[in-house]
Structure formats: C-alpha cells, structure tokens
Amino acid sequence: MRRSLLIWAFLWLALMTSDLAAGSLDGALGKALFDRQWVPAPASTDAADGLGPLFNARSCASCHPGGGRGRFTEDRNGQITGNGLVARLGDSAGTEDPTYGSQLQTSGAAGQTGEGRLLRRADGNLEIKDFGYGKLHPATRFGGRLAPSLHGLGLIALIADADILQWADPEDSNRDGISGRANFVADTQGNQALGRFGWKAGHADLTALTASALSLDLGLSNPLAQDPHGDCTAAQTACRAAPHGASQRFQGLEVSSDMLAFIVTYISTLQPPPRRPLEPPALARFTGIGCAQCHRPQIPLPAGGQVAAFSDFLIHDMGPHLADGIGDHQATGREWRTAPLWGIREASRFLHDGRATTLRQAIALHGGEAAPSRDAFLNLSAENQDQLLNWLSQL
Ligand code: HEC
Ligand code: HEC
C-alpha cells in the first residue's frame, strides 16, 4: 500500500513539474510513466514494479531520450555504450528463437544472466558476444534496431490507408524499378491493418506497439502482452521462476490498461520537429534523382493539413547489404520501411542498425530498389551533393 502511494505521489510530482501544456492530464501521467525508472520485483509478492526479469533498459526514455532517437557511442573496439540499439532475433518468417525469444535482452534482475552483449565489428556489422544461454537456433538471424524518434507518430497514425496504398506497386507495373508494397499486420482486434510503424512497418497501431515495447524492452506485462516474464522462453528456467510484479492493483498485471493508455496519449502528442522551408531547388534535386519516389515530401491528412515526414510508409527491397534475413509479417529480410526523414537534423547515427555515421554514408548504403537513385546521387557534382546533404541535414 505504502509503495503504491509512493508511486502515485511520484506521478503527481512529475505531473506538477511537467512542461506539457496544462490540461493534458493523461499525457502528463504518460510522460511520467515514459520517464520512469522501473525496478525489478522483489521476492515479496506485493510489489508494484516488475522490470524484467530480463530487460534491455529501465525506462522508455533511456532509449528514446526526450521521445527522440536512441543515443549511444561506440569505441574503437566496437564496444557500445548507452541504450537505444537492440538486437532483434528471428528467422526468415519472423519466428522467434526458441531459447532467446525475439529480442536479445542484455540485462537481468539480481540472480539473472543477461542474454549477451552487442558489439560493432570493423566492417559495420553487429556481433553478439557472451551468449548467456548457449547457441542461437541455426535458423535464427539477428539484426540491430536503432530506437527511432517518436516525434510526429500521432500524425502518421492519422494518414488514411488509401493515401499510402496509392503508391504501392508490388509488381512494378510502371517499370520505374521501385516496387514498394504494404506490410499488412493483425491489429488489436485481429483484423488486417496497414503496418506503418517500426523499421519494417510491422506495427499498425501505437497501443499494440507500446504494449510490445513494455514487454520486450522492459519486461513489463500489460493487457496486450500478459506474460509477466516478458520475452523469457520456456528454455530460460531461472527467468521463468523469478519473482514478478503482477498485482491486483494493476488488473493482475505489471502495467494496467489505464497506464498503457496514458503512455500512448503521451507519445501520440509528441509534435514533429518544426518544419523548415522546403527550398525549391534542393527539393527539386531530391525529386529529380528519385529520392522522393520513396521519401514522399508530404502526405495529406483526411481532416486537412499535411504530414511532411518524407516517407511513403511502404516497404522496399533495399538489397543484400542492408538485409538481415529476419522477416516481419509480410516484410522479407531484405525489405525496410522508407525511413521518415523529418527530424533527421537531430540524428547522429543512421539506418535501421545505426551503422552509418553520416548522411552521405546512409545514402551510399542504399541498394536494391534504391540503387538507381543512389547512383544518381553519387553522379552529382561534389558541389551539388554537398548542397543536397546540407539541405537534408536541416530537415
Ligand atoms: C532498449 C531500448 C528501447 C526501450 C527501453 C524502448 N524502446 Fe521503443 N523502440 C526501440 C527500438 C530499437 C525500436 C525500433 C524497433 C523496430 O522497428 O523493430 C523502437 C520503436 C518504438 C516505436 C515505433 C517508432 C516508429 O518510428 O515507428 C514506438 C512507438 C516505441 N518504440 C515506443 C516505446 C515506448 C512507449 C517504450 C516504453 C514502454 C519504449 N519504446 C521503450 C528501442 C526501445
Ligand atoms: C526505394 C526507396 C528509396 C529510395 C529511392 C531512397 N530511399 Fe532513402 N531510405 C529508404 C529506406 C527503406 C530506408 C531505411 C533503410 C534501412 O534503415 O536499412 C532509407 C533510409 C534513408 C536515410 C536514413 C534515415 C534514418 O532514419 O537513418 C536517409 C538519410 C535517406 N534514406 C536518404 C535518401 C536520399 C537522399 C535518397 C535519394 C538519393 C534516398 N534516400 C532514396 C528507401 C529509399
């Protein structure tokens, strides 16, 4: 009881000091939960938290600081410090690893063994060291996933399916070499819905996505991911036997439906970065060399206004170098959602696994459907390349 009072006192304090617009009570509570440093459940059963038993970080904010893109550093030996980069595990159909589940949780509560360490090799690819539970299944592949910025997701959620689907051309019937397609996934009611969130557009709505983040990244059960042991598999017996924080006060879960809804309200109201003038010459060049065929500068909203995200929210084959072999619903191991470019001015690492440290590198690594556009960029004069990069770095 004392503990729960403490939590609500904490939430209230966070609310009073929050810089959110007055009146957005749910959003302020959501921000407090987003920033909250969760702790593992103690052995006594009457616990409010239940981080883990295996987890990647203690708060949403540690991977999405200020709701932004993950920040981490890499030293010369490829040692990664800081949060915001995780390893996704799965086979070509997206099926999870029988021992490790669908994400490598690098940390554990007291008495638990973390699943391994993620390192960057000199060739830019990632490597997992110090596996805690033996080998991965032979069919399992792993791939890095950088935590994206959450600013503007509320607007992306409002785009009508038809305004995205109009650009899908799975058979490339217009023969422009670009065959973007939609990634349909099951929504919370089990209906097919257009995936538009995540690096492979494997999520259709922010509630299901938040529920999955709570479970996979933090090990917190909630109405849509009810296992209090998170991503621990049956093979991880110590984890399954560990205490958890499911509590009657939270509907027999670690995070109640109200708390889930507060977090969703908070992230849905994170505004996109302020728009800069589009600079017609730079935009014309961006369009002229084919970038805008995937990175659509703006998409209209049904209720008026535009989403200037620079994406078509479709998935594209980006060639063998960016492929990680992991399927995600209908996306193959080579397909990725066109990354929105708004807010790119704040990024210091690019692409789904953060392998690029400059915009130029990010473009040079485009392959597959984007190869002709990449080559058109590389064939620009040095001056024109710099102009385009300069413009991009301000989006
Ligand atoms: C350990 C780091 C980590 C933590 C902690 C974390 N995330 Fe994420 N988040 C990621 C990564 C990595 C992705 C990209 C996943 C993908 O696309 O496969 C992501 C993606 C997302 C997205 C989709 C963004 C987009 O552009 O489509 C949302 C929304 C999100 N996270 C919300 C949350 C919330 C809410 C929490 C806390 C409950 C949270 N995250 C905690 C790493 C993290
Ligand atoms: C065929 C579609 C397509 C075309 C054409 C294309 N891109 Fe991309 N772009 C993508 C996809 C998909 C990603 C995400 C790839 C990944 O993360 O592995 C991406 C990622 C990026 C990124 C990194 C974004 C981030 O969040 O890290 C930048 C920058 C970028 N593209 C710029 C460009 C520019 C400039 C051009 C034109 C020269 C271009 N792209 C052409 C599909 C395309």
Side-chain angles (χ1 to χ4, degrees):
M1 190 60 207
R2 227 171 2 156
R3 193 171 166 82
S4 103
L5 273 178
L6 213 72
I7 288 167
W8 288 107
F10 167 84
L11 287 179
W12 186 246
L13 195 75
L15 167 69
M16 300 310 286
T17 56
S18 159
D19 57 358
L20 281 172
S24 174
L25 181 69
D26 289 7
L29 288 170
K31 180 180 191 304
L33 290 164
F34 187 89
D35 291 341
R36 182 187 164 97
Q37 297 278 326
W38 299 85
V39 296
S44 81
T45 50
D46 190 31
D49 279 14
L51 179 74
L54 297 178
F55 55 91
N56 285 96
R58 293 175 186 274
S59 69
C60 305
S62 68
C63 292
H64 302 282
R69 181 177 284 229
R71 288 192 205 121
F72 58 93
T73 54
E74 291 175 6
D75 71 13
R76 219 179 294 159
N77 305 318
Q79 191 75 39
I80 296 169
T81 317
N83 284 313
L85 183 69
V86 306
R88 176 79 57 247
L89 307 171
D91 66 13
S92 59
T95 308
E96 62 171 43
D97 185 79
T99 306
Y100 289 88
S102 54
Q103 189 165 301
L104 188 86
Q105 280 86 27
T106 47
S107 304
Q112 300 291 321
T113 309
E115 292 184 328
R117 229 156 34 89
L118 201 56
L119 291 165
R120 179 92 56 192
R121 294 200 318 233
D123 65 4
N125 289 312
L126 293 165
E127 185 180 355
I128 300 175
K129 281 223 169 123
D130 304 336
F131 277 105
Y133 302 80
K135 289 192 172 132
L136 293 175
H137 187 275
T140 302
R141 301 285 169 267
F142 70 89
R145 295 282 188 280
L146 173 63
S149 167
L150 310 182
H151 287 268
L153 297 187
L155 287 182
I156 295 173
L158 295 177
I159 302 172
D161 286 2
D163 286 326
I164 295 175
L165 293 172
Q166 62 169 316
W167 292 306
D169 183 15
E171 307 305 329
D172 191 19
S173 39
N174 67 359
R175 295 175 175 262
D176 65 352
I178 295 184
S179 52
R181 59 190 195 117
N183 192 1
F184 280 100
V185 304
D187 69 8
T188 38
Q189 274 83 47
N191 303 314
Q192 288 288 296
L194 179 60
R196 54 182 77 188
F197 301 110
W199 285 103
K200 283 179 179 280
H203 287 275
D205 78 79
L206 290 175
T207 301
L209 183 45
T210 299
S212 147
L214 283 164
S215 174
L216 276 185
D217 300 320
L218 305 174
L220 292 168
S221 59
N222 60 78
L224 298 177
Q226 301 197 356
D227 188 338
H229 295 106
D231 193 36
C232 297
T233 63
Q236 295 173 310
T237 46
C239 174
R240 299 225 67 92
H244 58 72
S247 150
Q248 283 321 310
R249 282 198 299 274
F250 302 118
Q251 305 164 320
L253 301 162
E254 293 165 329
V255 167
S256 69
S257 48
D258 283 351
M259 292 156 84
L260 174 62
F262 294 153
I263 302 175
V264 174
T265 302
Y266 167 62
I267 59 175
S268 310
T269 49
L270 287 169
Q271 294 303 306
R275 265 177 90 168
R276 302 271 160 91
L278 278 180
E279 287 188 35
L283 183 62
R285 181 155 297 129
F286 183 80
T287 306
I289 60 174
C291 310
Q293 269 169 280
C294 299
H295 297 281
R296 302 274 170 192
Q298 43 193 14
I299 303 182
L301 285 175
Q306 305 274 342
V307 179
F310 289 87
S311 176
D312 56 3
F313 301 100
L314 297 172
I315 48 173
H316 298 272
D317 182 333
M318 294 295 283
H321 295 301
L322 289 177
D324 65 8
I326 305 174
D328 188 343
H329 298 84
Q330 284 156 37
T332 68
R334 291 165 66 110
E335 286 174 314
W336 301 96
R337 178 192 71 162
T338 305
L341 299 180
W342 61 3
I344 203 81
R345 71 181 92 141
E346 279 157 17
S348 53
R349 291 237 161 218
F350 308 93
L351 300 174
H352 64 271
D353 59 359
R355 73 177 76 175
T357 52
T358 62
L359 286 167
R360 187 188 298 277
Q361 256 177 26
I363 299 167
L365 285 164
H366 279 50
E369 294 172 39
S373 174
R374 171 203 63 203
D375 292 342
F377 171 80
L378 296 173
N379 287 331
L380 293 175
S381 69
E383 194 189 334
N384 287 345
Q385 286 187 9
D386 286 344
Q387 265 172 16
L388 189 72
L389 292 172
N390 186 39
W391 172 75
L392 273 176
S393 69
Q394 293 171 42
L395 288 180

